[in-house]
Amino acid sequence: MPFIPHTEKDIAEMLKAIGADSIEDLFDEIPANLRSAGLQDVPTSTNEMEVTRVMHERADQDARTLCFLGAGAYEHHIPAAVWELTTRGEFYSAYTPYQAEASQGTLQLLYEYQTMMASLTGMDVSNASLYDGASSLAEAVLMAVRANRKSKAKRILMPRSVHPAYRKVAHTIVHNQGIALEELDYDRSSGIIDPDSLPKDPGDFTALVIPQPNFFGNLEEVDTLTDWAHQHGALVIGVVNPTALALITPPGEWGEIGADIACGEGQPLGAPLASGGPYFGFMCCRQTYVRQMPGRIIGRTEDLDGKEGFALTLQAREQHIRRSKATSNICTNQGLLVTAATIYMALLGPQGLQRVASHSHANTVKLADRLVDKLDGAEKVFDRPVFHEVVVRLKQPVRDVLQGLSEEGIVGGYPLAEEYPELDNCLLLCATETKTEADLDAFVEAVVRIAGRL
Amino acid sequence: MPFIPHTEKDIAEMLKAIGADSIEDLFDEIPANLRSAGLQDVPTSTNEMEVTRVMHERADQDARTLCFLGAGAYEHHIPAAVWELTTRGEFYSAYTPYQAEASQGTLQLLYEYQTMMASLTGMDVSNASLYDGASSLAEAVLMAVRANRKSKAKRILMPRSVHPAYRKVAHTIVHNQGIALEELDYDRSSGIIDPDSLPKDPGDFTALVIPQPNFFGNLEEVDTLTDWAHQHGALVIGVVNPTALALITPPGEWGEIGADIACGEGQPLGAPLASGGPYFGFMCCRQTYVRQMPGRIIGRTEDLDGKEGFALTLQAREQHIRRSKATSNICTNQGLLVTAATIYMALLGPQGLQRVASHSHANTVKLADRLVDKLDGAEKVFDRPVFHEVVVRLKQPVRDVLQGLSEEGIVGGYPLAEEYPELDNCLLLCATETKTEADLDAFVEAVVRIAGRL
Amino acid sequence: MLIFEQSRSGRTNPPQAPLQDVAIDDIPDQFRRQSKPTLPEVSEMQAVRHYTRLSQKNFSIDTHFYPLGSCTMKYNPRGCNTLAMLPGFLRRHPLSPDSMSQGFMACMFELQEMLKDVTGMKAVSLAPMAGAQGEFTGVAMIRKYHESRNDDARTEILVPDAAHGTNPATAVMCNYKVREIPTNDQGDVDLEALKAAVGPQTAGIMLTNPSTLGVFERKIKEIADIVHEAGGLLYYDGANLNAILGKVKPGDMGFDVIHMNLHKTFSTPHGGGGPGAGPVGVSQRLEPYLPVPLLSKEGDQYRWLTDNERPESIGKLSTFMGNAGVLLRAYIYARLLGKEGMHRVSEFATLNANYMLARMRDAGFELAYPQRRATHEFIVTMRKQAKELGVNAMDFAKRLLDYGFHAPTTYFPLLVPECLLIEPTETESREDIDAFIEAMIAIQNEAETTPETVKQAPYTLPVRRLDDVKAAKELDLAWKPE
Amino acid sequence: MLIFEQSRSGRTNPPQAPLQDVAIDDIPDQFRRQSKPTLPEVSEMQAVRHYTRLSQKNFSIDTHFYPLGSCTMKYNPRGCNTLAMLPGFLRRHPLSPDSMSQGFMACMFELQEMLKDVTGMKAVSLAPMAGAQGEFTGVAMIRKYHESRNDDARTEILVPDAAHGTNPATAVMCNYKVREIPTNDQGDVDLEALKAAVGPQTAGIMLTNPSTLGVFERKIKEIADIVHEAGGLLYYDGANLNAILGKVKPGDMGFDVIHMNLHKTFSTPHGGGGPGAGPVGVSQRLEPYLPVPLLSKEGDQYRWLTDNERPESIGKLSTFMGNAGVLLRAYIYARLLGKEGMHRVSEFATLNANYMLARMRDAGFELAYPQRRATHEFIVTMRKQAKELGVNAMDFAKRLLDYGFHAPTTYFPLLVPECLLIEPTETESREDIDAFIEAMIAIQNEAETTPETVKQAPYTLPVRRLDDVKAAKELDLAWKPE
């Protein structure tokens, strides 16, 4: 039987030891009228050979694309070693390290991960992961409400320059608790929150969310924003791209005293695009707030002999101990992706990550410049330094351009108008370090060709 | 530097410890006039990202084919677990288990492999692998000359129904030692060595090679052939397909006392087609001849505490001990492929391998029947039970048919005329268990369509 | 040794990044990072060797019997991993147009249909990224359902006292008050207490069936009737679905909403703590509230429904569509098992658990519910050993590691003192189960003769027993350069 | 426990074979197997668990420093493996038409060109499947060369006494007599002895340079002249090519034919004992004799030359074209290193070896050739320890395992008593080399104070020292059912 090792002899002897006549008898406490009549919509079983063929065909159907889309998920080169190691059975098929002594591999790796992330964000501590970028922002909002004891307002300032999906997810997760997410608009010419537009007297608010880079790729005035929020007794939640942190100021160094919580999407650190998941969310914070942090945290400690070892710690925050008073309901997180991220960061090192970041930046700028140069009427929408995404407005309907590109196997960027009606015919473009000169040219030529037909 | 961990500081300190001023100085014993002027034809270095792209493009160029070609390499389903385990670093990046205590993983696995192969061939013992099927036959010939002390002739009867490449390789490797490979023709209607055609008085010969199945897929009269050779004081070398052994009589059970040496290509046991290698050659023999066997052999023994363990044994046969008197010059063998084969056999078990064999047989027969049925003038050439290959003659020039098939992504069989001029317009076809009904039909339809155009 | 302790300033691994530096002068200095992050500077081999060796320090399914109750640690077929990682799947951007995504979407749609069938629910969303997020989704839908009927009085969620901690934690995240319902001495929900607890304030009840006590809730239909009559809805926590797969459908038991832990029942890997996937299934009346994105099929084309087409949805749960790669693995597993294989999962999980229970009982261990059938798991209590020998459940757990077995779940559920919750799963052989029993018997002997041996365990692991108190008191959560 | 001991009759793993039986009535009974082969009957998880656990019992590059002299155990980049296993490469049948194989053939052709460049040879064949087969190929070509000139008197191959065992074994396979040439006390070939040995009977000489003694043969040009003048040819055993890659080309030293061990210098994995690949390079005069198949490029198309186009070839060496997958890995590695990276391999291999040598000398260990530079490897001799303390080279080797290091090569070359041949390779860090030295010093202390500790080692491995004599005397080469 698939994945079941029992022989007929085993079954007979085991039933005898139990004192039952048949396996069916073992279900005798289940009321007969509830018993399932069988399955209709599950196909008959296949073997690995057949399913291999199906999956190869389906993967092939979607393959061989050239991708200039970012918008929260970024195509970076992932060293082969990352997933060859990550999928080793000892990582892949273990569970949450409840028995620390039998899980030192995972535990030490997570401690190393926490060290890397804390350092990358410039914060004191990191947890061991959340689900993804959007849900990490939602958890950061909940955490800020717990952590900011001075504020009673349950009011979060949420810029429109934050990823629209993140804002939606945060809303889904926090709104039932009476937390208000209040929009902050962005400046139409710079594409960032205009520091001059911040209210002098904003009233009681719990936290300000600052995206860096923001959804448009633009770099926000993080220092001013951070200090402004702190001056008004609010916490600062930085939503950051981890690759960018190799290049730009980390949240821990924003303004006078730095952000209070940093969170974001871990995908750029070794997770493939893979249709959107599994990725992982990261979260770091000041030491002060560590007991308000959701999710697993690993600590270094000693064993009976005084030897260094690692264990889950601060479990009193978690649902399996604290139940209804836990900091979050999260249990299973994204351990395997964090394994990949840790190995990814170890393989790249500070220099490698910095090069990935700077090449992604340079390619994106080059792409936009060439497109504006070659395509009549195309223009950059914002006059602002960017990281690795940029907004370009076309004269042509972008839906048609994207459709044309898709027919040539090109995923051509993110059409902004759906979420930002004011940005009609604007594309959010991204060209990471994976793109060659020839790729950039191929994209620009394809757009010019397609636009010419419209 | 790629794969070199040294920092500038390391280099300086190490040179100091050595007492040298520069790395260049370490080469001061090499005459200056020999020093290389540099490289011309090696391209500049790429990173893994770039080479990944190149390799994906090249692999894609050759992909998506439907293969009905066997002729010594067979497409079987390989369980995913086989190579996920085989490429674990501990197997992949270890070497020949010279330090037994630090290599028990590989050693025990090889002992298990020897057990499986000996049992599959019905022989007493197995070595731990040779390079491939053809070279294993060459080694078997050399071994037979050493082992058959009664024969002085250095004369091997080599049927034409043995794989042509095997015969060529055997010639390359043994002919310098004055060993004659004497051809035995096959019967034109049955496609096997006609037992009735065997000479009554063949004279002194060292060994008879018996292929089962033979190159045409036909099953030879192994019992009669084996007994005939033994009656004349010759040894019997069986060249067998390991998948077939799940279904048909193993060499150890041929005739009255069985074959003396069994060898063959291990590829069907878990090695991908992969352009021809690495595969592995297997070799098994009677216990009597074990000291004449080439290659590594693993034995079970005990450690200082009496605990079971495994070690290389009978090393006195090998080149690193015996030098010019060794049984072969082989050193590195195909360890990793044997690792894959062992895991493959463990995952399939006797029932699984038997099903692979029987489905491959049934598909091949079906393919030939359908082709003969649908294509005017096509006929099976031999009236003989086959394993999983069959010879079909077309009315059309097979080169043109194959060319037409290749344009549709079909690898359409082996044209026999080049090696067997008497078999003009004959194709050797193979359809393993990987082929579906639809595949068989697609092949037949394509051939009919192409033949119709010719 | 930590990877940082192998780091040397200036050591690089050039093949894994662009080979050249590139100018980034257009980013003003004010935005540029000044400090160098503490990422390791190691060679590729150092990293490979370090993480290979670390991995070897783990127990895992691929190396050890791992009867961790409530976690369903069963074999994760390797083929599921290999096939989910084909380049065509890995390189697909989540926002790729539907026209470039039909291969992937076909898998997802078929998985959705299969999950509907095995759970008996009317619709399924694949969006939740883990069990706990599935729970959140379910309770959020219950809330939205009551809100849509302007039934604002419903402020309480009922939760049995044996429930997973995620249940009350989730209810609170949805702003519900939690009311605990006691369990009777048979391990069933106390029906009288339930009747007394329900009322117009009842939004719903969260149940696991079989419960965390390892027994099937026999009165599930009565419970459903009581809650439904009070106007509440029933939430099924699918953590233990492996026990009844193909045998009973939660939809037939009267549940309105259910989540499934695909990393348990559908054998996607636990990954050292995730990722999981927690799809939800709902009855007709909750269908409008399912989270987005939702997949539909029109003719032979697959399409993501837009937010506008799902106006009553509780909304998005993740940036994109959830844990796609986990869902792919579950899909492949389901195809391998097929219609014929689903019910065998629960049958052999149950056979193994009941066999273990019988053998442990015969060996003198005390069962928490001796009069009940085990489902896919069961509980023994070490209260006698703790009291009489000073050897507690944790000591047994640690000593088991020395014998080469991962420990069962300890001290959960909280109801049973000194408990071990044991779940063998269907993929373990009788021989391995027997070996586990023999180890337990051997440890029992040690506990009786040399209790210190057990209390000081483990001895053969990479570390001996760790000081959790020190870990929590002297927090050391990140390595700092000297 | 052996896999067979986990086998139970009737246990199957259906997902890995066709799900149904099929009738095979057309195969007459006389051909049908009657006995059931001793293949294990285990579940997929049992197999996965068994081989995962077995793997953990190995030392390997990915887990340990492995300074096995003459074997060049350096890091095998993971990317080479991943990319060589892309489905397009794995599924290509070796006899696929050239038109369906241009992607693969492009890689092979480019590898061929690169290998010509780094070795300074005029033509290269990728056919040989390992170093020893490369040697056979080379000597067979030498024989064919002489035969083609009707120079039948040449019956001897010269081999230095320090040579690998494969050299004399190969010469004999090609029906040559072997004449050993002694080494002088500097580790160089004794030129006077060589001069005395050459003559019209000399077919050629097989040399490794640097030699197996870890030193560069300084008089290589004189040797070449002596042998060439006598009408013989020079064979270069490429086992130690890692020492001179990018620094000296064998072609420039005067060699006529060379093999390369790609699993050493080009870092393809050693795989627990292979596969390797042993391409051969030749000078112009040996080019006609290269083994088939041979790859050519015409325009932008790649093509296998037919046997007819290579009438003087020594013939085929393998069923198809050799170890294609190994060649792919070497190709990828070469692309990663590039023109700029080749010479660094030898530079840092040499730096590491000389550093180790200096540190061991300073620690009091006796060098075999103290007056010579190390190349990529060097030899220490334990003859003093063996004589004075009763602790020999093998004891040191075994004790090193306890310290977490794979042992160097022991008792080879045979010339140096109680020797350890130590090759760190370029991929090891200074810290790991230092740790190895510290271990050697610690073992030396043990040898002096508690020699039995060393003589009984190892203690911490899966087994203690194994009984090789019993293994050879009471041959147990296959498990038998009880």
Side-chain angles (χ1 to χ4, degrees), chain C residues 66-83:
Chain C
Y66 208 122
L68 194 65
S70 195
C71 296
T72 312
M73 298 298 287
K74 60 179 170 180
Y75 174 59
N76 308 132
R78 277 277 138 186
C80 300
N81 180 52
T82 310
L83 296 174

Side-chain angles (χ1 to χ4, degrees), chain B residues 279-345:
Chain B
Y279 297 169
F280 70 95
F282 60 86
M283 180 179 281
C284 300
C285 71
R286 295 179 187 284
Q287 186 79 37
T288 333
Y289 302 130
V290 64
R291 285 182 169 73
Q292 298 302 337
M293 193 133 68
R296 311 283 184 206
I297 300 175
I298 280 71
R300 181 157 61 168
T301 181
E302 287 180 357
D303 76 0
L304 274 181
D305 297 337
K307 185 178 167 189
E308 172 180 282
F310 303 88
L312 290 170
T313 194
L314 299 180
Q315 294 191 67
R317 299 164 299 111
E318 294 190 63
Q319 48 72 30
H320 64 289
I321 306 290
R322 196 59 154 268
R323 302 180 72 84
S324 66
K325 301 204 168 50
T327 53
S328 165
N329 72 340
I330 192 168
C331 176
T332 291
N333 56 28
Q334 308 284 110
L336 200 67
L337 280 299
V338 164
T339 306
T342 307
I343 299 171
Y344 175 86
M345 288 188 275

Side-chain angles (χ1 to χ4, degrees), chain C residues 444-462:
Chain C
Q444 175 67 27
N445 286 338
E446 291 176 343
E448 290 167 11
T449 53
T450 56
E452 278 308 306
T453 308
V454 185
K455 289 163 75 174
Q456 302 268 318
Y459 304 90
T460 59
L461 282 279

Side-chain angles (χ1 to χ4, degrees), chain D residues 25 47 56 58 64 75 89 116 154 181 187 220 270 281 314 326 339 441 482:
Chain D
D25 304 335
Q56 293 183 341
N58 275 359
H64 294 83
Y75 174 60
F89 292 129
K116 275 159 63 175
R154 301 198 178 270
I181 307 296
I220 182 61
H270 285 65
I314 61 158
V326 178
K339 201 192 281 271
I441 293 170
E482 302 285 294

Side-chain angles (χ1 to χ4, degrees), chain B residues 186-241:
Chain B
Y186 65 94
D187 178 73
R188 291 294 178 276
S189 72
S190 62
I192 59 165
I193 310 154
D194 179 1
D196 296 336
S197 74
L198 295 172
K200 286 269 169 350
D201 185 10
D204 178 9
F205 68 104
T206 313
L208 166 67
V209 175
I210 307 176
Q212 183 76 327
N214 71 21
F215 186 64
F216 308 125
N218 297 328
L219 297 180
E220 298 274 0
E221 292 290 340
V222 291
D223 296 328
T224 315
L225 295 171
T226 299
D227 291 343
W228 175 78
H230 282 150
Q231 280 152 19
H232 293 93
L235 299 186
V236 169
I237 300 171
V239 187
V240 290
N241 175 305

Side-chain angles (χ1 to χ4, degrees), chain B residues 2-3 5-6 13-14 24-25 27-29 34-36 38-46 58-59 61-62 65 69-70 73 75 77 79 85 87-96 99 101-106 108 111-112 114-115 119-120 131-132 134 166 168-169 172 176-177 220-221 245 247-249 253 273-278 298-305 307 310 313 319 323-324 329 333-336 342 346-347 349 351 355 359 361 384, chain D residues 1-3 12-13 16 18-21 24 26 31-33 35 37-38 40 50-52 54-55 58-62 66 71 73 78 81 88-93 100-104 107 110 117 129-130 132 143 163 165-166 169-170 172-173 175 218 247 249 252 269-275 307 314 316 318-319 322-325 329 331 335-340 344 350 352 372-373 398 427 430 461-462 464-467 471-472 476-479:
Chain B
F3 313 123
H6 299 65
E13 289 175 5
M14 292 169 81
E24 210 44 43
D25 284 356
F27 293 88
D28 55 9
E29 291 192 358
L34 293 181
R35 299 294 297 277
S36 167
L39 303 174
Q40 282 75 47
D41 297 332
V42 178
T44 54
S45 83
T46 54
R58 290 191 174 165
Q61 246 184 295
D62 303 346
T65 58
L69 178 53
E75 185 177 32
H77 171 66
L85 294 174
T87 57
R88 282 173 61 84
E90 300 95 320
F91 286 137
Y92 186 77
S93 74
Y95 195 33
T96 302
Q99 290 294 340
E101 297 84 357
S103 313
Q104 286 296 297
T106 287
Q108 181 176 331
Y111 178 86
E112 293 179 358
Q114 290 175 179
T115 303
S119 168
L120 207 51
Y131 303 132
D132 75 347
Y166 284 34
K168 289 181 189 178
V169 171
T172 302
N176 285 327
Q177 298 187 44
E220 298 274 0
E221 292 290 340
L245 293 179
L247 211 59
I248 65 173
T249 310
E253 299 174 12
L273 289 175
S275 291
I298 280 71
R300 181 157 61 168
T301 181
E302 287 180 357
D303 76 0
L304 274 181
D305 297 337
K307 185 178 167 189
F310 303 88
T313 194
Q319 48 72 30
R323 302 180 72 84
S324 66
N329 72 340
N333 56 28
Q334 308 284 110
L336 200 67
T342 307
L347 285 168
Q351 188 205 47
R355 283 191 177 167
H359 279 256
H361 167 77
R384 189 68 197 165
Chain D
M1 197 197 284
L2 293 165
I3 191 81
T12 61
N13 184 23
Q16 298 306 348
L19 291 171
Q20 307 300 331
D21 274 323
I24 41 165
D26 54 323
F31 297 110
R32 304 280 287 276
R33 183 175 188 127
S35 58
T38 308
H50 179 73
Y51 291 108
T52 301
L54 272 193
S55 77
N58 275 359
F59 278 28
S60 67
I61 285 300
D62 281 8
Y66 208 123
C71 296
M73 297 298 286
R78 277 277 137 186
N81 180 51
F89 292 129
L90 293 189
R91 295 193 55 204
R92 186 187 162 264
H93 192 287
M100 301 169 87
S101 312
Q102 292 292 304
F104 169 73
C107 298
E110 291 172 15
D117 193 6
M129 292 180 287
R143 170 171 278 281
T166 47
T170 298
V172 168
M173 278 186 84
N175 219 24
R218 293 168 289 194
K247 289 287 176 187
K249 298 182 179 182
D252 294 341
H270 285 65
D307 290 6
I314 61 158
K316 275 178 81 67
S318 67
T319 318
N323 281 341
R329 284 167 175 80
Y331 170 73
R335 291 291 308 264
L336 288 170
L337 286 189
K339 201 192 281 271
E340 316 89 308
R344 287 200 213 103
T350 303
N352 275 355
R372 300 293 303 268
R373 286 273 186 223
K398 296 297 183 197
T427 62
R430 184 198 169 183
L461 281 279
R464 298 205 45 215
R465 211 179 286 198
L466 288 165
D467 188 342
D476 173 357
L477 309 181
W479 177 85

Side-chain angles (χ1 to χ4, degrees), chain B residues 172-173 176 329, chain D residues 132-141 170 173-174 317:
Chain B
T172 302
I173 292 176
N176 285 327
N329 72 340
Chain D
Q133 211 187 30
E135 292 182 33
F136 173 86
T137 307
V139 178
M141 286 191 282
T170 298
M173 278 186 84
C174 293
L317 294 164

